[in-house]
Amino acid sequence: MSTVTPANLDLPPENWWRSRTARRFRRHRLAMFGVVMIAVLTIACVLGPYVLPYDQLFIDLRARFAPPMTGGHIFGTDPLGRDVAARLFHAGRISLLVGFCAMLISIVIGTVIGVLSGYYGGRVDAALMRFTDAFLSFPSIFLLLALAAFIRPDPLMITVIIAVTTWMEVARIVSTEVRSLRERDFILAAHMLGLSNRWIMFRELLPNAIGPIIVAATLTVARAILLEAYVSFLGYGIQPPLPSWGNMLNGAQQYLGSAPWLAIVPGIAITLAVTSFNFIGDGLRDALDARSDLS
């Protein structure tokens, strides 16, 4: 049975790339800069450890605190003589993976709660939104630190903890969008055809609310990367010897005067990743908004 959506959202890739939304996104310079930077960071983190002459666990005590661009160490070495570039790229794999996986879990939780709340309304909406408000009443960073302090801080658990503390905004966005769509003619037609509530929610309403969800997803990745770095910097996140951008900053704080590159390199990586995802989110929001000034 075909859906009753007002527009066909399942466009072939070549048609989507020529669509008005895609053209508007490509004209957003900061968004395109973000796409390029995320692509560069991802490729560097995936391929970097294979092309560098040193492994991230290789220790050379004779090369301790080597400055950048000396002895084959493009970003220098740390207090144990380990190559900073190798550790940075390996840490990037973990930080980016935590960010993407936390975003996926957060989007799934927030979307399901938002769709149920917006579609059923009434007591269901009140109960789910009060549940969401209960989570929002706690500052996310304190809730994250409290959970991390009592749970084994490996990448999987850190990902789950970040997801559990970042789904609330997604739920509110989806609930508002679904509430505005459920009275449209195509939804009334779906009811008249006798389609089930599940079909209407996830095959009719959800595809038409996908724009705000995509924007929220990109911003959630940026937030998850920043939260992981923050928690790891405080010592409650990814634990050494497994590197992440956050715990690399933690290990560098006592060497800010003598070896500043130990903090500058992961700090720049975090800044580029978070800023780029925010730029992409801004570009998607403007491209999907017909009232935007983008031509």
Side-chain angles (χ1 to χ4, degrees):
M1 182 180 293
S2 61
T3 61
V4 197
T5 50
N8 181 15
L9 297 177
D10 299 324
L11 294 173
E14 61 273 14
N15 291 342
W16 177 88
W17 187 246
R18 299 192 188 103
S19 68
R20 183 170 180 267
T21 299
R23 292 197 304 271
R24 287 159 61 86
F25 179 76
R26 293 198 300 270
R27 292 191 183 102
H28 197 292
R29 295 182 179 179
L30 290 178
M32 294 309 298
F33 169 80
V35 170
V36 171
M37 289 310 307
I38 293 301
V40 169
L41 280 173
T42 302
I43 293 171
C45 292
V46 171
L47 301 180
Y50 297 110
V51 300
L52 292 173
Y54 302 100
D55 181 79
Q56 57 107 7
L57 295 176
F58 177 75
I59 295 176
D60 184 3
L61 294 177
R62 295 172 299 178
R64 296 172 65 245
F65 296 112
M69 306 305 296
T70 59
H73 303 285
I74 58 175
F75 292 149
T77 61
D78 66 6
L80 296 178
R82 295 174 297 186
D83 186 66
V84 172
R87 288 179 56 77
L88 179 81
F89 295 145
H90 193 80
R93 292 180 178 181
I94 296 172
S95 295
L96 291 174
L97 187 62
V98 168
F100 277 109
C101 291
M103 175 271 291
L104 289 174
I105 298 172
S106 174
I107 290 297
V108 169
I109 296 173
T111 298
V112 170
I113 291 178
V115 169
L116 292 174
S117 170
Y119 179 74
Y120 286 110
R123 294 182 178 178
V124 174
D125 178 40
L128 291 176
M129 287 299 99
R130 296 301 77 74
F131 177 70
T132 303
D133 290 340
F135 272 83
L136 283 171
S137 65
F138 296 97
S140 294
I141 189 61
F142 294 123
L143 184 59
L144 180 62
L145 289 173
L147 292 174
F150 293 100
I151 298 176
R152 181 167 54 92
D154 58 24
L156 175 61
M157 294 311 303
I158 292 299
T159 299
V160 172
I161 291 172
I162 292 175
V164 167
T165 58
T166 55
W167 60 267
M168 296 82 74
E169 290 82 1
V170 179
R172 282 195 166 279
I173 291 170
V174 175
S175 177
T176 302
E177 193 72 15
V178 169
R179 197 178 296 116
S180 69
L181 290 170
R182 68 182 181 185
E183 302 300 329
R184 299 281 185 89
D185 290 342
F186 71 97
I187 297 299
L188 298 178
H191 284 294
M192 293 177 64
L193 289 173
L195 300 179
S196 66
N197 289 333
R198 180 184 299 177
W199 181 280
I200 294 173
M201 283 189 292
F202 296 105
R203 298 298 297 271
E204 305 292 344
L205 287 169
L206 185 56
N208 286 281
I210 200 67
I213 295 175
I214 293 174
V215 175
T218 58
L219 299 177
T220 301
V221 176
R223 186 179 179 191
I225 292 173
L226 198 59
L227 286 173
E228 183 279 320
Y230 188 89
V231 174
S232 295
F233 175 76
L234 294 178
Y236 293 97
I238 309 299
Q239 299 296 308
L242 196 63
S244 78
W245 290 337
N247 66 28
M248 287 182 71
L249 282 175
N250 178 279
Q253 57 183 328
Q254 58 183 315
Y255 304 108
L256 290 177
S258 58
W261 61 87
L262 296 178
I264 292 173
V265 171
I268 290 176
I270 294 170
T271 302
L272 284 176
V274 173
T275 304
S276 297
F277 277 115
N278 283 327
F279 285 160
I280 294 172
D282 289 342
L284 287 171
R285 182 189 59 207
D286 292 342
L288 293 167
D289 185 0
R291 298 167 297 179
S292 172
D293 292 335
L294 287 175
S295 58

